[in-house]
Amino acid sequence: MKNILVVGSLNMDLVLQMEKIPSVGETVLGDGLRYSLGGKGANQAFAAGNLGGNVEMLGCVGEDSFGAKLVRNLASVGVDVGHIGRSASPGTGTAVICVEKSGDNSIVVVPGANKTCDEEYLRSNDAAFQKCDYILLQMEIPRDAVEYAVNRGKELSKTIILNPAPAPAALPQDILSKVDYIIPNETELSRLSGCRSDSENEMEAAARKLIAAGAHAVIVTLGHKGSVLVQKDTLERFPPIQVEAVDTTAAGDCFCAAFAVALADGKTPAQAISFANVAAGLAVTRPGAQDSIPTQAEVEERRVSERGRKEAVRAEG
Ligand code: RIB
């Protein structure tokens, strides 16, 4: 198993449950409120550790109890947390997450200490870049830090996986061309490409626009519709597993981490996407961010039962 370096955010999530996410100007009564460990970077590092990866995380928390809990949770699944930065001020990043009955959510992140995960901090942790084989990135840390990590990773010939979340309006060609796999959801794809991505044709055209702008492989996560891999001359679809969605928070994070772990384990991109679809499918059946991430054994068990189900359907047909 090769080594994965996750560079990204760590947040304490304040999760509000409600029937329907309010529109602008509307007040609704909520059904519940709880704290949950999150942050796209930390969720991906936790998931990669829980799914059997060799993982180190670079990111920053505050010198407060939220930060301590986040770091402890990562260490509990074997993530190397030895170089996570701690800032006296600002405190650990936080996110307010509204989750509605359907399982869909909307999120506001207040970055806090994630802002100190900057180029200078990454430069001072160059050993982590040298040691790893895969670099997994999102966009909840300063933009120059993301670009530095992509450039440094490429200089060292590492495989770079970028989850462009939250999505910027565009990414420079120079950065896109250094990313081996870019993994947006439909909303992120639409924002990044400047094109609609509602229908399948629109989604493919938007992904192709990123490829024309330098991306090598675009993996679009489509929630209950599974995912697709778009490359220069091909498009492959990967069906989801059938589940009852409770909370979609961190499902994308789980997907990216599972994809990275499977690649690091020597799987092909297509095999890695199938594995990631199952892991992300299981994550939506549970509430929370890191709380919802399945173990490697749970994913393997579900893969076995999926194979059995498909064989039974084939035998019947
Ligand atoms: O992807 C889900 C995550 O986004 C949450 O855990 C929240 O912290 C935000 O970063």
Side-chain angles (χ1 to χ4, degrees), residues 9 11-13 37-41 43 94-95 97 107 109 140 249-251 253 289-290:
S9 60
N11 296 330
M12 180 56 80
D13 294 347
L37 300 172
K40 293 186 196 302
N43 295 344
T94 45
I97 307 186
I107 304 180
V109 176
E140 281 184 342
T249 309
D253 298 331
Q290 288 165 41

Side-chain angles (χ1 to χ4, degrees), residues 41-316:
N43 295 344
Q44 294 184 18
F46 180 88
N50 217 26
L51 292 167
N54 291 332
V55 189
E56 170 159 16
M57 176 157 191
L58 291 181
C60 299
V61 293
E63 284 174 358
D64 47 36
S65 63
F66 286 172
K69 280 190 183 139
L70 281 156
V71 172
R72 246 193 336 264
N73 205 44
L74 292 178
S76 76
V77 292
V79 175
D80 180 347
V81 293
H83 296 96
I84 288 187
R86 285 174 178 75
S87 82
S89 168
T92 298
T94 45
V96 175
I97 307 186
C98 294
V99 182
E100 62 180 30
K101 264 269 164 55
S102 66
D104 287 334
N105 64 39
S106 62
I107 304 180
V108 178
V109 176
V110 180
N114 293 308
K115 283 195 176 155
T116 64
C117 178
D118 54 16
E119 187 175 331
E120 191 189 338
Y121 160 75
L122 295 182
R123 278 185 191 281
S124 67
N125 283 293
D126 197 56
F129 284 85
Q130 293 180 32
K131 209 164 63 191
C132 73
D133 303 288
Y134 292 84
I135 301 178
L136 181 53
L137 294 154
Q138 327 71 37
M139 304 203 71
E140 281 184 342
I141 56 174
R143 174 77 173 260
D144 60 349
V146 175
E147 295 192 0
Y148 172 78
V150 170
N151 284 322
R152 183 65 184 136
K154 251 314 105 170
E155 250 168 45
L156 295 166
S157 305
K158 310 299 179 181
T159 300
I160 300 180
I161 304 169
L162 173 64
N163 173 217
L171 275 172
Q173 184 159 12
D174 170 52
I175 293 297
L176 265 181
S177 63
K178 290 177 183 152
V179 171
D180 296 280
Y181 301 96
I182 185 162
I183 313 184
N185 64 20
E186 286 158 296
T187 313
E188 290 150 2
L189 175 65
S190 173
R191 186 162 159 76
L192 264 180
S193 62
C195 301
R196 289 170 67 99
S197 150
D198 300 331
S199 68
E200 172 132 356
N201 286 347
E202 287 171 348
M203 184 270 297
E204 181 174 356
R208 298 225 169 272
K209 199 168 166 200
L210 294 191
I211 289 176
H216 299 282
V218 183
I219 301 169
V220 190
T221 55
L222 303 167
H224 65 278
K225 291 180 276 171
S227 47
V228 296
L229 167 62
V230 183
Q231 286 171 297
K232 195 163 169 280
D233 300 313
T234 57
L235 180 146
E236 277 178 87
R237 290 181 187 77
F238 297 85
I241 55 168
Q242 298 307 317
V243 290
E244 194 76 27
V246 168
D247 180 355
T248 57
T249 309
D253 298 331
C254 185
F255 182 98
C256 296
F259 176 73
V261 169
L263 284 189
D265 195 26
K267 302 290 188 288
T268 64
Q271 290 168 331
I273 294 173
S274 300
F275 179 77
N277 264 357
V278 175
L282 291 177
V284 306
T285 64
R286 300 164 190 166
Q290 288 165 41
D291 298 337
S292 72
I293 305 294
T295 61
Q296 186 179 19
E298 286 171 327
V299 177
E300 291 306 347
E301 194 183 314
R302 180 67 187 244
R303 277 159 62 83
V304 169
S305 69
E306 284 293 311
R307 272 198 290 273
R309 199 183 52 77
K310 280 185 197 144
E311 271 158 30
V313 171
R314 259 199 301 275
E316 267 176 30

